[in-house]
Amino acid sequence: MRAIAIMIPVLAAALPAQPLQTAMRERIAAFPGAVSLYGKNLDTGATIGIRDADPVRTASTIKLPIMLAVFDAVARGQAKWDEPLTLTDQEKVAGSGVLGVEFSTGDRLPLRDVLHLMIVLSDNTAANMILERFSADAVNAYLDNLGIKTTRSMRKILGTGPAAGLSAAGKLPENQKYGLGVSTPRDMVTILERLDRGEIVSPEASREMLAILKRNQDNTGITRHLMEFPVAHKTGALDALRSDVGIVYSKAGKIAVAVTVDDMAKPDWSPDNPGSLLIADLAKMLVDGLATKP
């Protein structure tokens, strides 16, 4: 069984760190895969992490940084929300979303609508349309401006050859194992915290991005046991991976959570995928533990 080291930075004085650590250890122990997570109470600063600085495959959680770059481009006058994006056969892909199967080649949709589909339905074709318009390199350049160097957008979804839209980072042999993108739980929580503070593009843009994330329709992970609270989040899924990053607006504090589980041996695309169940349980533990106040 793989040993898991849990690193807990300085916590708020009254936070029951040891019980939280023990509970998380017990829940993770029997899971047949790799677990990486970071949680932070955005009000108190209390944190807990497991491999939180180690690079992980993002799957569709890379769509969160992609959204940031689009908002920045619009704010700088390099794009307009009502500009039409044309749906092409090259961008159409299977998987999550509706554009790839329910819309016709040649359909034109406003940039704003395409971005909403990319986040709310995790539409893969929508992500490809946006990366065709802005490029993965542009996403990474914006992340550099934020001081976030570990998170990288690598390429479009299921593209090959020139259609793959590989970024400079995506062309590096050592990054091919990451697929669509690479990040760390700590990076994702940093992005979420800066959105909460209104520091991404502008306070107004940050609020709008959080509002879009709150409309995410995938409730299999963080939100599964926390439906009573608003949650602004983005999910990701691959055969061997489940991921969810978001802010839980609990009554006892705003808790930012980023969890990735990988190396699962058996593909399971049901809502009760073991990785999704683990994320749900860990998110509930993090919210209950980190939200505790004196």
Side-chain angles (χ1 to χ4, degrees):
M1 184 178 296
R2 179 183 292 118
I4 295 177
I6 296 184
M7 302 160 287
I8 303 182
V10 176
L11 300 175
L15 186 69
Q18 191 58 42
L20 178 57
Q21 177 182 358
T22 300
M24 294 180 73
R25 280 184 180 273
E26 291 175 350
R27 179 60 182 92
I28 292 169
F31 181 74
V35 180
S36 304
L37 69 83
Y38 192 60
K40 183 172 186 177
N41 186 317
L42 301 183
D43 298 320
T44 68
T47 62
I48 185 169
I50 302 172
R51 299 193 183 99
D52 51 287
D54 290 351
V56 295
R57 297 192 293 169
T58 61
S60 284
T61 60
I62 195 63
K63 294 169 184 173
L64 169 57
I66 292 172
M67 177 173 67
L68 309 187
V70 174
F71 267 82
D72 176 66
V74 171
R76 290 187 290 109
Q78 295 185 346
K80 295 182 178 180
W81 286 121
D82 60 355
E83 73 172 79
L85 300 185
T86 301
L87 179 60
T88 67
D89 286 333
Q90 176 177 291
E91 266 64 67
K92 281 190 172 186
V93 288
S96 56
V98 296
L99 288 177
V101 293
E102 303 297 343
F103 285 68
S104 301
T105 299
D107 282 351
R108 292 160 64 84
L109 294 89
L111 170 61
R112 185 187 297 277
D113 293 358
V114 176
L115 182 135
H116 287 181
L117 289 170
M118 180 182 73
I119 299 298
V120 176
L121 297 182
S122 198
D123 195 298
N124 289 336
T125 298
N128 282 354
M129 293 172 70
I130 286 177
L131 288 177
E132 176 67 18
R133 170 64 175 82
F134 296 96
S135 84
D137 280 321
V139 174
N140 296 336
Y142 183 65
L143 290 170
D144 285 339
N145 289 340
L146 294 178
I148 296 174
K149 307 291 186 178
T150 310
T151 301
R152 299 288 93 171
S153 174
M154 301 296 187
R155 59 170 174 80
K156 294 179 184 176
I157 299 168
L158 299 177
T160 59
L166 286 167
S167 65
K171 292 176 182 177
L172 299 175
E174 62 268 28
N175 285 336
Q176 292 181 4
K177 62 185 177 182
Y178 294 115
L180 303 181
V182 62
S183 188
T184 68
R186 189 179 287 265
D187 270 6
M188 285 296 184
V189 167
T190 296
I191 289 172
L192 294 166
E193 182 173 22
R194 294 187 67 175
L195 280 172
D196 178 68
R197 291 178 177 175
E199 297 174 354
I200 302 293
V201 182
S202 69
E204 295 76 16
S206 293
R207 284 194 295 270
E208 185 174 350
M209 283 185 268
L210 288 170
I212 296 169
L213 291 167
K214 287 178 182 177
R215 300 201 299 274
N216 183 349
Q217 295 187 13
D218 186 343
N219 295 320
T220 58
I222 290 174
T223 60
R224 182 184 291 259
H225 302 320
L226 299 165
M227 296 294 287
E228 70 270 30
F229 304 127
V231 181
H233 71 121
K234 182 69 198 78
T235 51
L238 298 169
D239 280 350
L241 176 148
R242 290 297 183 273
S243 174
D244 207 346
V245 302
I247 301 174
V248 180
Y249 296 85
S250 80
K251 294 180 180 179
K254 292 176 289 188
I255 313 300
V257 175
V259 186
T260 295
V261 298
D262 205 346
D263 296 341
M264 293 182 289
K266 181 181 178 182
D268 178 355
W269 290 95
S270 75
D272 293 332
N273 176 284
S276 297
L277 297 177
L278 177 63
I279 290 173
D281 289 350
L282 293 174
K284 182 68 163 60
M285 291 177 186
L286 285 166
V287 169
D288 289 347
L290 293 177
T292 301
K293 291 186 176 181

